[in-house]
Amino acid sequence: MFGFSRITTLLSQSRSTETKVYLFFDQVTLSHHKSVQMWKSYFVYGPRSPEFEHTLNELQSIEHQADLLKREIEQILYLKTLIPDLRSDVASLINLADRLINKQDIIGLHLKIEQPIIPPEIEEDLFRLLKAVGETIDHTVLCARSFFTDLQRVQEYHTKVIAFESEADRLCTKTKINLFDTNLDLINKVQLRYFIDRIDEVANLSEDICDRIAIFTLKRAQ
């Protein structure tokens, strides 16, 4: 039998850690929602608009808040009497999840700097890709929360993340094919391909995180 209650009991020794961890994963969810809003502002108002700047600033604020929470969690982890192995797993999970936010923040910064031309022919494809990536992130957060509260659900969310990541890969390829079928200059196509690939990398990282959570779960269940 899996010891499903063990991890909850261990984290209950440190309610402050538990609270900070959940607040951190809230930032992961918020970061993608703000990233989608940022892309919509880019399409409608342009990269030099107050609307785009405001949304990008909000995304950067989320990234900053997540960094603060990550440092607080790391400090608490090593002050509290958690089992060292569990401490290491939680720290590793937080560091990986932080990269999800960082990647989206970097995409926004490069949007502001490079101002790629996005042909209307691929607008729908791009937002379908963003939606699929959002599903991988949302289910990765659910998978991570289950690691702390209900180990029996980890495999369920892990399987869903694998499926959504495969869909994101498919949409990434489709978007690039449609991009290179447009009349946009080749140099602009290559520039925009960078952004499409970086969006897809967020889904790839989400799957990597869930793979790691699955391993952590097996360790806890022994």
Side-chain angles (χ1 to χ4, degrees):
M1 289 290 291
F2 285 175
F4 290 121
S5 65
R6 289 174 61 196
I7 192 156
T8 302
T9 303
L10 287 170
L11 283 183
S12 295
Q13 296 175 14
S14 176
R15 290 298 184 188
S16 57
T17 306
E18 194 172 30
T19 300
K20 298 287 186 184
V21 165
Y22 294 154
L23 285 173
F24 175 84
F25 282 113
D26 285 344
Q27 303 308 305
V28 176
T29 301
L30 285 171
S31 70
H32 183 71
H33 293 169
K34 194 57 62 177
S35 177
V36 172
Q37 186 179 339
M38 176 190 69
W39 277 100
K40 289 179 179 178
S41 296
Y42 186 90
F43 271 106
V44 176
Y45 303 108
R48 291 292 181 262
S49 65
E51 291 83 359
F52 174 79
E53 287 282 350
H54 177 69
T55 311
L56 177 57
N57 287 339
E58 287 182 322
L59 177 58
Q60 291 172 334
S61 177
I62 292 169
E63 192 271 340
H64 177 67
Q65 181 62 29
D67 281 345
L68 293 176
L69 283 167
K70 181 170 80 75
R71 293 189 190 100
E72 290 175 10
I73 291 167
E74 289 170 344
Q75 290 175 357
I76 295 171
L77 283 175
Y78 290 95
L79 288 173
K80 298 297 180 179
T81 56
L82 296 178
I83 293 174
D85 185 44
L86 174 64
R87 216 161 46 196
S88 175
D89 288 350
V90 174
S92 177
L93 176 55
I94 294 298
N95 279 319
L96 283 170
D98 189 51
R99 288 173 55 195
L100 286 174
I101 302 175
N102 292 340
K103 279 182 176 291
Q104 293 175 102
D105 181 47
I106 290 171
I107 290 171
L109 182 60
H110 279 261
L111 265 181
K112 177 181 179 179
I113 294 170
E114 297 185 29
Q115 304 176 64
I117 298 170
I118 304 177
E121 295 95 323
I122 72 158
E123 181 175 344
E124 186 175 345
D125 292 323
L126 188 60
F127 278 105
R128 284 176 178 166
L129 174 59
L130 285 166
K131 182 178 179 180
V133 171
E135 293 284 7
T136 66
I137 293 174
D138 288 345
H139 284 81
T140 296
V141 169
L142 289 170
C143 189
R145 287 179 179 273
S146 294
F147 176 65
F148 296 107
T149 60
D150 184 3
L151 289 175
Q152 297 180 77
R153 303 295 298 276
V154 167
Q155 184 58 47
E156 173 191 344
Y157 292 127
H158 185 198
T159 300
K160 289 182 178 179
V161 168
I162 292 171
F164 284 124
E165 191 278 334
S166 295
E167 176 66 4
D169 281 346
R170 185 189 71 80
L171 290 169
C172 177
T173 300
K174 180 177 183 291
T175 303
K176 289 189 289 186
I177 289 172
N178 290 341
L179 167 63
F180 279 86
D181 280 344
T182 68
N183 294 322
L184 199 65
D185 290 342
L186 180 60
I187 190 170
N188 297 120
K189 291 177 181 177
V190 173
Q191 179 194 30
L192 187 52
R193 183 185 65 185
Y194 162 89
F195 287 93
I196 296 169
D197 283 337
R198 294 306 175 274
I199 292 170
D200 188 48
E201 283 179 5
V202 176
N204 295 337
L205 178 56
S206 293
E207 184 179 29
D208 291 344
I209 292 169
C210 283
D211 289 344
R212 189 72 64 87
I213 294 170
I215 294 171
F216 294 162
T217 300
L218 288 174
K219 290 165 60 179
R220 300 277 78 75
Q222 293 176 353

